[in-house]
């Protein structure tokens, strides 16, 4: 198959918009499945995890391959719930095109905006599908307006719905000026209904006008008032989609089997192949200023990105990679340039939801799972060791909720840690740490649901029963100003003593993480111990100082020091640096950082006063309020996560269950000075 016939695409949207249902119907209409499995019956092919089936939601992204009109489509279905946003992130990183799904009633919802921004970040061309046209309140034109207003999507209708809600009976193809209706599982061409003729013609003129902006040939025809052929319009539209200039909008009702075949046509017609996407641009491994590119060709050196790890009880660890260039064969030696280590690929598998097929070779554009990799993690580059490069990694949001976890049976401690480690390998937004003071394991993730799923998986997949504490906020620690400290660590206890001295300067490094600078001159600390100093500091950084939370955003400069030819050692320098750093930290105005969340509340008008009042009491900041439906408003703002536990119940009580909300991480901010003292006391008391 020619690469121009390949479509690597994803499907993303707000929770419940119908992504999985659209995917299921795609499987059905392309002949992969003989029957349609419903998400709410726990019978979809894509949502095959037990936890997904029980809850009727998608948790992990799943991939499937199908064929349509001579093209091969590799499709990744992603979850909509904010807690699993890293699944969207990694999928967007490796796909060439996206179907952005909208609910015809809900329009642009909070997660739609998030996903849209993520797709912008990875520059993924997209088309829009307005689903659920059969639902009460469905309004195709309103959704397009919202896309333009809130997403700046430059959205244009490429289809028009015939009727809406219960009367949604068909779809008009604007470019071809054809109409279709859907009977059972068939689409049938009909003539455009009389009362839609003018609207349909106007819609086509609108498309022509828009495309004239990007295409000279169309512009000339338009000005000479000559009919613009459909083929020309489609080619120009394809070009504009690939250049991210605009978004064609399609519609349907997946659940009612309406509009899916036309959506598949649109995927083939408008979304890019790896050839259209062109060369992937990476970085030279020695010089980040120099770019290195790879064309999607079998003749180029091998380059691929690992984007997902799954622990499979039958085949062991599966590492999913997207290949950009070159050829991969089983047994081949590769360089993991991110880790600086060599890897040998074992078997190569093609994955279809939960089934797998072994293949012996894979090339540009392929998405495959590799067995047998040892060091590779999500976001790592795999490449030809003779032609190394770094590819852009994957953005991972911080984990903001944590809880303590203990094995139900004491002797299962090791098994629990081992299982948790496997889960952290799979999911970069899930972390674990050991609290030295309380001698307990603490796990952290994106939200309460995220951790609930992890605990459920621990039980079912790993047979590991655990006891957990209450979810709490994952704070961070940092400093507010610069400070220096000079510390000498000297111990003489019988035989060989310990000696090390370090002088450290620490400064705030907002948003830039941890940085270590070595300014030692004249070998006053031998080079072999510089690494020990860094290691000692990093250990302390992970453990925290004022409340046991990881320290972020500090720049540490090693200014001076001294050593002893006999008594100095790696250990002595680690201990010295750690104590020196702790002292400098305490002098530098230590502060506690708390996660601030972006919140959106949808509510009928009558509750708005109570909701705003309540959010204010939770230290919330309201940014905007807008009407999104008659008698209902959307409220946007920011709130500290710490104040938001039990908010769901509260909101239900205030609004008699009629308001709903969604929340996602925004950024870390300092806990207000007036609260820090109290908070620290609470945290440290809990540990006792
Ligand atoms: N009326 C109507 N319901 C639909 C339509 N498409 C999907 N649904 C229903 O909406 C619910 C959610 O659908 P899903 O396909 O699971 O939505 P999703 O976007 O995959 O949800 P997450 O993966 O959890 O974010 C299910 O009960 C579907 O049957 C549609 O076109 N019309
Ligand atoms: Mg889903």
């Amino acid at each position: 198959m020619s690469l121009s016939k390949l479509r690597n695409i994803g499907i993303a949207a707000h929770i419940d918009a119908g992504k999985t249902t659209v995917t299921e119907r795609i499987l059905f209409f392309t002949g992969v499945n003989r029957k349609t499995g419903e998400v709410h019956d726990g019978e979809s092919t894509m949502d095959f995890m037990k936890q997904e089936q029980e809850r009727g939601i998608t948790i992990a992204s799943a991939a499937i391959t199908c064929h349509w009109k001579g093209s091969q489509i590799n499709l990744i279905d992603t979850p909509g719930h904010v807690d699993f946003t890293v699944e969207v992130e990694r999928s967007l990183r490796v796909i060439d095109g996206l179907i952005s799904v909208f609910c015809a009633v809900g329009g642009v919802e909070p997660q739609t905006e998030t996903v849209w921004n993520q797709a912008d970040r990875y520059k993924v061309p997209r088309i829009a599908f307005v689903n659920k046209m059969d639902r009460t309140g469905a309004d195709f034109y309103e959704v397009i307006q919202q896309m333009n207003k809130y997403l700046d999507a430059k959205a244009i209708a490429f289809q028009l719905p015939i009727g809406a809600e219960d009367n949604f009976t068909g779809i008009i193809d604007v470019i071809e000026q054809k109409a279709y209706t859907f009977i059972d599982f068939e689409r049938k061409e009909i003539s455009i209904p009389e009362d839609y003729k003018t609207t349909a013609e106007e819609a086509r003129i609108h498309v022509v006008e828009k495309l004239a902006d990007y295409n000279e040939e169309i512009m000339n025809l338009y000005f000479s008032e000559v009919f613009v052929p459909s083929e020309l319009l489609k080619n120009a539209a394809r070009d504009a989609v690939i250049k991210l200039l605009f978004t064609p909008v399609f519609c349907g009702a997946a659940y009612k089997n309406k509009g899916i075949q036309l959506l598949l046509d649109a995927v083939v017609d408008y979304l890019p192949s790896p050839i259209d996407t062109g060369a992937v641009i990476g970085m030279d491994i020695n010089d980040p200023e120099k770019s290195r590119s790879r064309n999607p060709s079998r003749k180029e050196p091998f380059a691929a990105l690992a984007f997902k790890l799954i622990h499979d009880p039958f085949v062991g660890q599966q590492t999913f990679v997207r290949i950009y260039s070159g050829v991969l064969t089983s047994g081949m030696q590769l360089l993991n340039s991110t880790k600086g280590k060599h890897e040998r690929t074992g078997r190569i598998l093609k994955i279809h939801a939960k089934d797998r097929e072994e293949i012996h070779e894979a090339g540009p554009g392929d998405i495959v799972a590799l067995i047998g990799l040892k060091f590779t993690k999500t976001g790592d580059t795999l490449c030809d060791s003779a032609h190394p490069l770094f590819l852009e990694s994957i953005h991972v949001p911080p984990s903001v909720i944590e809880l303590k976890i203990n094995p139900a049976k004491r002797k299962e401690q090791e098994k629990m840690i081992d299982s948790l480690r496997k889960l952290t390998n799979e999911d970069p937004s899930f972390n674990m740490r050991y609290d030295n003071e309380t001698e307990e394991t603490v796990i952290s993730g994106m939200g309460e649901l995220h951790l609930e799923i992890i605990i459920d998986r621990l039980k079912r997949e790993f047979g590991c029963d655990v006891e957990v504490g209450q979810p709490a906020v994952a704070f961070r620690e940092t400093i507010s100003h610069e400070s220096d400290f000079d510390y000498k660590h000297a111990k003489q206890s019988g035989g060989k003593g310990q000696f090390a001295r370090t002088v450290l300067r620490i400064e705030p490094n907002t948003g830039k993480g941890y940085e270590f600078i070595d300014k030692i001159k004249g070998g006053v600390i031998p080079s072999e111990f510089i690494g020990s100093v860094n290691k000692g500091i990093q250990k302390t950084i992970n453990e925290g100082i004022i409340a046991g939370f990881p320290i972020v955003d500090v720049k540490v400069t090693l200014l001076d020091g001294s050593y002893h030819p006999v008594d100095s050692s790696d250990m002595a320098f680690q201990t010295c640096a750690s104590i020196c750093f702790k002292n400098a930290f305490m002098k530098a105005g230590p502060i506690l950082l708390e996660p601030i969340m972006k919140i959106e509340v949808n509510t009928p008008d009558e509750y708005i006063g109570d909701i705003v009042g309540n959010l204010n009491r939770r230290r919330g900041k309201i940014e905007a309020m807008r009407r999104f439906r008659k008698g209902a408003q959307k409220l946007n703002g920011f709130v500290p996560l710490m104040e938001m536990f039990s908010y769901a119940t509260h909101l239900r009580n205030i609004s008699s269950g009629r308001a709903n909300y969604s929340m996602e991480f925004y950024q870390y901010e300092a806990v207000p000075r007036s609260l820090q003292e109290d908070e620290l006391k609470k945290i440290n008391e809990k540990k006792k």
Side-chain angles (χ1 to χ4, degrees):
M1 191 195 60
S2 135
L3 257 195
S4 63
K5 296 271 179 204
L6 180 62
R7 301 286 178 276
N8 280 321
I9 64 164
I11 181 157
H14 187 77
I15 189 159
D16 256 6
K19 300 171 289 293
T20 304
T21 308
V22 169
T23 313
E24 289 295 327
R25 294 310 188 269
I26 287 180
L27 292 181
F28 176 78
F29 285 108
T30 54
V32 176
N33 280 357
R34 291 239 180 87
K35 65 181 189 65
T36 56
E38 302 305 346
V39 176
H40 47 251
D41 300 330
E43 285 181 359
S44 92
T45 311
M46 305 306 288
D47 287 351
F48 58 83
M49 277 168 69
K50 281 209 178 61
Q51 291 81 356
E52 297 182 311
Q53 292 170 349
E54 285 166 5
R55 289 170 176 79
I57 59 165
T58 306
I59 292 169
S61 50
I64 189 80
T65 299
C66 60
H67 294 88
W68 187 253
K69 294 199 167 159
S71 289
Q72 179 183 327
I73 303 174
N74 295 329
L75 179 68
I76 302 182
D77 176 29
T78 66
H81 196 287
V82 272
D83 280 17
F84 312 112
T85 190
V86 82
E87 290 294 300
V88 183
E89 199 74 48
R90 55 168 132 230
S91 308
L92 285 171
R93 174 63 187 82
V94 296
I95 56 177
D96 296 318
L98 178 72
I99 306 177
S100 187
V101 178
F102 294 77
C103 166
V105 184
V108 172
E109 295 173 279
Q111 268 314 94
T112 333
E113 274 186 74
T114 309
V115 173
W116 197 269
N117 294 338
Q118 285 171 310
D120 277 344
R121 183 146 30 83
Y122 294 117
K123 300 191 179 65
V124 182
R126 68 212 84 153
I127 60 175
F129 181 67
V130 179
N131 188 33
K132 302 200 185 184
M133 277 306 300
D134 61 313
R135 270 189 63 194
T136 310
D139 188 341
F140 178 71
Y141 301 96
E142 168 66 25
V143 179
I144 295 190
Q145 265 191 21
Q146 290 187 8
M147 287 175 69
N148 286 329
K149 194 161 164 198
Y150 303 121
L151 304 176
D152 195 19
K154 306 199 173 49
I156 297 182
F158 269 45
Q159 289 180 342
L160 305 179
I162 303 175
E165 308 181 336
D166 278 350
N167 291 321
F168 174 56
T169 54
I171 290 171
I172 296 169
D173 178 337
V174 167
I175 292 192
E176 303 282 3
Q177 292 286 299
K178 284 181 180 166
Y180 299 91
T181 191
F182 304 90
I183 302 163
D184 295 329
F185 294 107
E186 297 296 317
R187 75 169 143 170
K188 193 169 158 257
E189 193 178 333
I190 52 171
S191 49
I192 296 179
E194 245 353 276
D195 48 340
Y196 279 88
K197 280 205 164 126
T198 322
T199 331
E201 276 163 23
E202 280 169 6
R204 192 175 199 273
I205 293 171
H206 191 54
V207 172
V208 171
E209 281 172 355
K210 249 292 123 24
L211 287 174
D213 287 349
Y214 315 124
N215 184 297
E216 211 169 318
E217 205 179 338
I218 296 178
M219 172 126 78
N220 293 337
L221 294 173
Y222 174 65
F223 281 119
S224 7
E225 292 183 26
V226 176
F227 179 82
V228 186
S230 299
E231 221 31 59
L232 178 56
L233 282 180
K234 281 189 179 172
N235 287 337
R238 177 183 179 77
D239 207 42
V241 169
I242 293 169
K243 292 191 178 124
L244 300 165
L245 296 172
F246 85 146
T247 315
V249 188
F250 305 86
C251 65
Y255 185 47
K256 301 283 166 71
N257 303 307
K258 292 177 181 170
I260 301 299
Q261 300 98 325
L262 297 170
L263 179 66
L264 279 162
D265 288 350
V267 166
V268 174
D269 287 345
Y270 303 113
L271 289 179
S273 74
I275 303 270
D276 300 309
T277 306
V280 61
I281 313 287
M283 231 164 46
D284 186 277
I285 61 165
N286 298 315
D287 181 357
E289 299 291 310
K290 274 195 202 136
S291 67
R292 289 275 170 265
S293 73
R294 295 281 179 270
N295 286 309
S297 155
R298 294 172 69 88
K299 295 198 184 92
E300 294 258 305
F302 180 78
L305 187 86
F307 68 97
K308 191 174 165 103
L309 268 70
I310 290 186
H311 173 77
D312 185 297
F314 301 107
V315 290
Q317 175 126 313
Q318 297 181 354
T319 311
F320 284 76
V321 302
R322 150 92 199 227
I323 301 173
Y324 289 94
S325 59
V327 178
L328 177 72
T329 49
S330 22
M332 195 164 124
Q333 269 266 8
L334 298 172
L335 172 70
N336 176 331
S337 55
T338 313
K339 298 274 185 316
K341 288 190 165 160
H342 290 275
E343 288 267 33
R344 184 179 290 282
T345 26
R347 295 154 66 200
I348 307 173
L349 303 176
K350 268 215 140 135
I351 306 293
H352 309 279
K354 64 171 186 289
D355 301 320
R356 40 181 174 264
E357 171 198 343
E358 180 153 0
I359 55 174
H360 300 288
E361 193 192 280
D366 281 337
I367 291 178
V368 290
L370 308 182
I371 310 291
L373 299 193
K374 290 204 177 71
F375 315 104
T376 304
K377 295 270 156 61
T378 299
D380 288 1
T381 301
L382 291 167
C383 54
D384 179 343
S385 56
H387 302 90
L389 83 171
F390 290 137
L391 297 174
E392 185 194 349
S393 189
I394 291 168
H395 171 80
V396 180
S399 32
V400 290
I401 292 256
E402 61 172 36
L403 44 82
K404 289 177 189 150
I405 184 164
N406 285 304
K409 295 187 200 108
R410 240 169 186 277
K411 61 176 195 304
E412 291 202 334
Q413 174 80 8
E414 220 167 277
K415 181 171 161 194
M416 181 187 83
I417 300 285
D418 189 49
S419 314
L420 285 172
R421 194 160 293 131
K422 282 183 181 139
L423 289 167
T424 56
N425 274 344
E426 274 189 20
D427 180 353
S429 64
F430 171 64
N431 292 294
M432 64 189 257
R433 65 187 172 86
Y434 187 71
D435 191 320
N436 271 339
E437 272 175 66
T438 60
E439 301 186 338
E440 275 174 312
T441 306
V442 180
I443 57 171
S444 57
M446 303 295 298
E448 291 182 61
L449 180 63
H450 187 196
L451 294 181
E452 189 186 313
I453 302 286
I454 296 270
I455 290 156
D456 197 48
R457 290 187 61 191
L458 263 184
K459 279 190 193 143
R460 292 205 210 169
E461 281 169 46
F462 297 89
C464 194
D465 264 326
V466 293
E467 282 159 5
V468 296
Q470 286 299 317
V473 166
F475 292 98
R476 298 282 187 270
E477 300 177 13
T478 193
I479 49 170
S480 46
H481 54 79
E482 184 186 307
S483 97
D484 291 0
F485 204 84
D486 182 338
Y487 184 74
K488 189 170 81 183
H489 173 66
K491 263 203 177 126
Q492 201 65 57
S493 51
K496 190 177 172 236
Q498 286 189 39
F499 182 90
R501 181 179 151 251
T502 56
V503 182
L504 297 177
R505 166 168 303 157
I506 66 173
E507 299 159 74
N509 201 27
T510 312
K512 290 194 220 133
Y514 168 65
E515 212 176 317
F516 176 76
I517 295 163
D518 164 26
K519 287 241 170 96
I520 291 298
K521 290 210 180 74
V524 291
I525 297 179
S527 58
E528 74 242 49
F529 295 137
I530 305 283
S532 317
V533 172
N534 192 354
K535 213 160 143 196
I537 299 170
Q538 285 202 33
K539 207 159 149 258
T540 313
I541 279 195
N542 290 334
E543 289 168 359
I545 295 173
I546 50 172
F549 292 101
I551 293 167
V552 294
D553 297 348
V554 281
K555 180 155 117 187
V556 184
T557 314
L558 174 58
L559 297 172
D560 198 3
S562 42
Y563 79 109
H564 184 277
V566 180
D567 291 347
S568 282
S569 65
D570 171 48
M571 227 25 245
F573 268 100
Q574 281 199 43
T575 313
C576 174
S578 167
I579 299 173
C580 185
F581 177 77
K582 276 185 193 159
N583 280 291
F585 188 87
M586 289 313 286
K587 271 178 60 192
I591 45 178
L592 205 55
L593 298 173
E594 62 173 341
I596 302 294
M597 312 298 281
K598 212 159 93 180
I599 187 172
E600 178 165 316
V601 185
N602 295 337
T603 173
D605 288 345
E606 58 255 53
Y607 309 114
I608 198 95
D610 285 350
I611 290 173
V612 170
N614 182 269
L615 282 175
N616 282 335
R617 281 193 293 284
R618 292 172 189 266
R619 294 195 279 129
K621 285 189 209 104
I622 312 293
E623 286 274 295
M625 267 188 256
R626 59 178 156 106
R627 181 161 304 287
F628 77 107
R629 218 181 291 142
K630 206 164 162 259
Q633 301 196 35
K634 266 186 208 291
L635 190 153
N636 295 86
F638 300 95
V639 280
L641 178 62
M642 185 165 102
E643 310 285 348
M644 294 306 282
F645 288 99
S646 77
Y647 185 66
T649 323
H650 222 92
L651 186 67
R652 212 176 303 131
N653 291 343
I654 302 181
S655 69
S656 312
R658 291 173 61 205
N660 58 54
Y661 79 107
S662 98
M663 206 164 69
E664 70 178 282
F665 174 74
Y666 174 60
Q667 63 180 26
Y668 270 97
E669 281 177 19
V671 171
R673 223 159 258 284
S674 54
L675 292 180
Q676 173 159 325
E677 199 84 342
D678 271 2
E679 241 359 270
L680 281 176
K681 224 186 260 164
K682 268 196 250 163
I683 295 165
N684 289 320
E685 230 147 60
K686 263 195 230 157
K687 291 192 171 165
K688 280 181 192 149

